[in-house]
Amino acid sequence: MTTRKSVSKRPTLSAQDEYRADVAAYVAAGGDELVQRVITAVHGLAHKLDQWYARQLADLDLSAGEWAVLSRLARSNEDEALTPSQLAEATSVAPSSMTHRLDRMAERDLIARATDPDNRTRVLITLTDEGWATFKAAVRESDMVESDVLGPLSSRQRENLASLLEVLIAGLDEAPQV
Amino acid sequence: MTTRKSVSKRPTLSAQDEYRADVAAYVAAGGDELVQRVITAVHGLAHKLDQWYARQLADLDLSAGEWAVLSRLARSNEDEALTPSQLAEATSVAPSSMTHRLDRMAERDLIARATDPDNRTRVLITLTDEGWATFKAAVRESDMVESDVLGPLSSRQRENLASLLEVLIAGLDEAPQV
DNA sequence: ATCGAATACTTCGACTTCGAAATAATAGCA
DNA sequence: TGCTATTATTTCGAAGTCGAAGTATTCGAT
């Protein structure tokens, strides 16, 4: 009985093993080790979180793109209304795609369209009560997952991590066009 | 001269301002502040990096998805060949999408398809020399951008940041199905 | 006041992705 | 060996996204 090439073995690497293999490959190809550890970890985390969000948003019948619109509107509904173009820019999508996305969201009464009285070329988008409720529900659900992810860190470590990341965020504005 | 409703003002918020506004909105909606600071920063960084990658990859005529395939193959070409399904899983895409993606990549001689001699149901994908060269070129380009992003941190801080993130990565395997 | 350029959104055609059904080959069991 | 269940990939139709062209409104110069 020879073992006949164990091709069917596929143990599904753990997130940690995936991470290590990725870093190794990037370093082997000429990347700096410390840089690759940080960047690969950031991507791995973001990606994993995105997968979880997608599952939770599906419960609320929202796509990631729709969530992005809700989220962007939620953080500036009172003071300033946003136009479709601004939403497209903010959520990294083409203006034409935003038109359709807003169509669907208006159909479901999550947002409302109104032409700007001061400039009738413009359309102003606002969150409806329904939209607000959906936003808050999503945040509360997500916060639970996110708290779990940060579970292994103490309060002090979280503070430390947040500070380091915020330094990088601040630095993003330095050299905008790379 | 009245100021007549400054609607046309759109100063394009800095990455830092965007970050702060997002955190504020999530906290207002019921999220934990420290958690939201970390998570929002991770997402913001990943998103910004993705934008830069997209620009660089465009130079090499690669989509983000094609890069994902190249990258996954590059880190395990010697020991194990991968099937389309495994690549689909690894890059978070439907198997049917992978079929088309591999079609295009094979057309450009970045990858090669070969039926597994041990199980003719399977197709094994490998990187061609051209594929390898493209992978390495992309890594070297990306590493420059990434180094810039980490510029504001000292070596010691980078090490600290990497360690904290790696704790979180390790924790992802604990509670897989949320 | 009016013409032309600029701005903002939408419509259109092409392409990518998805999920489900179809196709092909293997593995296990009688 | 022959039959059935399983595994793996591809094909197909529906939906989302993109860039470009189209439409409507405003702004500025004459």
Side-chain angles (χ1 to χ4, degrees), chain B residues 50-63:
Chain B
D50 282 344
Q51 289 181 322
W52 282 331
Y53 294 149
R55 248 183 287 176
Q56 294 196 328
L57 292 176
D59 293 345
L60 298 171
D61 241 308
L62 286 177
S63 70

Side-chain angles (χ1 to χ4, degrees), chain B residues 83-85 96 99 113 121-122:
Chain B
T83 68
S85 304
S96 57
T99 297
R113 256 189 260 236
T121 298
R122 280 193 189 137

